[in-house]
Amino acid sequence: MAIVNLNIARRQLAPDSDELRLIKILQNGLPLVSRPYAAIAEQTGLTEARVMELINGLIHDQTIKRFGVVIRHHEAGYRANAMIVWDVPDEQLPTIPQQMLQFPFITLCYRRPRQLPEWPYNLFCMIHGHDRESVQKNLHVMITSCGWRDIPHAILFSKRRFKQRGARYISHAV
Amino acid sequence: MLGLSQLDKQLLNNFQKEFPVTSAPFAEIAARLGTDETTVLHRLEILRKKGYISRIGPVFKANGIGISLLAALAVPADRLSAVADLISSYEEVNHNYEREHHFNLWFVLTAQNIDRLDRVISEIEQRTGLPVLQLPLLEDYHIDLGFELQWQS
């Protein structure tokens, strides 16, 4: 439940650091070969042991929050994806997100600033479902069981997906 | 979803977190699943080609080593495809979706620092003539444990 500084990344990586060289390659994912860390070592000029040590360090200090298979929801049969945005009274934060996260279908939950007048919403969550109806049903269950009928919200279903890939934190031009 | 074996389902669900950081991780996975390394690599390659798997690797904590920003545009319908293509062309953009709302184009920008993001946003505003709604992350309530796929059939 980290409060995030708006303007400064928590860790500034030195341009010539081993970590930066590693992340530049690792952000694209492991190659599907018998010894992927050795392959990454070769691309970065580090040793295999050093690559594994750096990855373990990034996991340990929680710079990496999850290390493993990243699935694509749409292809895996979750065709409906809705961002639900809420205008939650500030005094009800963070109680409401904590309740939301009790529901297994909630995949993200973020606080963001309102941008008045055009954007009154300050809480964002994501629901992935097999279809539109199941997303709406889950949302309805959550709203009624938590007593949130009076909290203004909007459902933004996704339509076309123009781009989806892992974030590139480090530009390849660096 | 059709044509997925028990092994495929295990590969998709069981290794979303704590993927082995050992010299031969796929052999380790194979041992845990009672198969061999060649089969695991082959099935993962197929799952990747079919698009089920985006990648095997790190999910970084928001604003840990870089800065990310959710942004939106209200694009006139007849310009949506062209503007979406322009947005997708930026290396800093990793997600870009049309959504059902007055703000109909939603994208996530990520870069190493805020200056770079500011420059990209100014450029997008200049090139599209549309103001960018900027929604930076203030607080992340969610602990990412992956996503357990439920098989419908």
Side-chain angles (χ1 to χ4, degrees):
Chain A
M1 206 136 312
I3 305 243
V4 173
N5 186 308
L6 276 187
N7 296 322
I8 305 165
R10 214 172 279 116
R11 306 199 46 199
Q12 298 290 326
L13 299 173
D16 57 350
S17 67
D18 286 354
E19 281 175 327
L20 189 84
R21 283 155 74 189
L22 171 67
I23 289 167
K24 209 188 284 189
I25 302 297
L26 187 65
Q27 65 190 352
N28 301 317
L30 297 179
L32 294 176
V33 296
S34 178
R35 296 182 62 181
Y37 303 108
I40 286 177
E42 205 163 303
Q43 287 182 70
T44 52
L46 305 166
T47 64
E48 182 190 33
R50 178 74 176 139
V51 165
M52 294 196 292
E53 179 195 338
L54 287 171
I55 293 172
N56 280 323
L58 292 167
I59 294 169
H60 182 73
D61 74 11
Q62 297 177 347
T63 300
I64 292 175
K65 70 172 180 176
R66 172 162 80 81
F67 190 73
V69 173
V70 181
I71 56 157
R72 305 181 93 198
H73 291 94
H74 185 82
E75 283 72 7
Y78 287 75
R79 310 236 166 237
N81 131 20
M83 183 170 78
I84 298 116
V85 295
W86 313 75
D87 178 10
V88 175
D90 289 335
E91 65 275 12
Q92 291 190 45
L93 291 167
T95 318
I96 286 180
Q98 278 165 1
Q99 282 177 276
M100 270 180 197
L101 289 169
Q102 302 302 310
F103 294 87
F105 49 80
I106 298 290
T107 51
L108 289 172
C109 190
Y110 293 141
R111 182 163 71 90
R112 301 181 183 280
R114 297 182 184 89
Q115 304 285 10
L116 298 171
E118 65 268 18
W119 190 258
Y121 305 106
N122 61 341
L123 188 67
F124 293 62
C125 69
M126 196 71 82
I127 299 181
H128 286 91
H130 290 295
D131 51 45
R132 211 179 163 94
E133 290 66 36
S134 67
V135 169
Q136 273 161 337
K137 197 178 132 213
N138 279 337
L139 180 62
H140 180 75
V141 166
M142 184 171 76
I143 288 174
T144 38
S145 67
C146 295
W148 292 340
R149 280 186 211 83
D150 296 333
I151 300 178
H153 68 274
I155 311 173
L156 283 75
F157 275 103
S158 66
K159 292 174 85 178
R160 274 178 289 174
R161 176 178 66 187
F162 295 107
K163 189 174 187 181
Q164 182 202 14
R165 62 154 170 73
R168 300 274 152 79
Y169 288 90
I170 315 296
S171 162
H172 288 269
V174 170
Chain B
M1 254 345 172
L2 293 175
L4 288 185
S5 65
Q6 188 59 28
L7 176 64
D8 292 339
K9 292 177 182 179
Q10 289 174 318
L11 289 171
L12 288 171
N13 257 349
N14 298 7
F15 301 96
Q16 292 186 26
K17 55 180 168 154
E18 291 162 20
F19 187 87
V21 186
T22 53
S23 196
F26 300 107
E28 189 176 324
I29 285 171
R32 280 195 232 169
L33 298 178
T35 181
D36 59 80
E37 184 189 46
T38 309
T39 307
V40 165
L41 284 169
H42 175 66
R43 293 314 304 173
L44 286 172
E45 186 62 47
I46 287 173
L47 291 169
R48 200 174 59 81
K49 278 199 182 124
K50 284 186 176 170
Y52 291 106
I53 292 177
S54 160
R55 68 189 181 282
I56 298 172
V59 176
F60 290 99
K61 182 158 66 179
N63 295 12
I65 51 164
I67 295 288
S68 60
L69 177 73
L70 177 67
L73 289 170
V75 187
D78 60 340
R79 290 181 58 200
L80 187 57
S81 288
V83 171
D85 287 348
L86 186 149
I87 300 295
S88 293
S89 72
Y90 282 91
E91 199 201 8
E92 288 80 5
V93 171
N94 47 293
H95 284 72
N96 185 20
Y97 280 83
E98 177 185 5
R99 292 191 180 276
E100 297 173 3
H101 193 270
H102 166 66
F103 286 102
N104 54 356
L105 191 65
W106 288 80
F107 50 100
V108 177
L109 293 155
T110 303
Q112 223 178 333
N113 57 59
I114 195 77
D115 296 341
R116 177 68 199 150
L117 282 191
D118 283 345
R119 278 204 299 277
V120 172
I121 289 163
S122 306
E123 202 179 298
I124 288 172
E125 289 187 328
Q126 265 178 15
R127 291 174 72 186
T128 62
L130 301 166
V132 174
L133 178 67
Q134 297 180 44
L135 301 165
L137 181 63
L138 294 180
E139 201 160 345
D140 181 357
Y141 299 103
H142 181 247
I143 297 158
D144 191 349
L145 300 174
F147 183 74
E148 191 186 348
L149 297 170
Q150 307 283 337
W151 318 104
Q152 279 184 304
S153 50

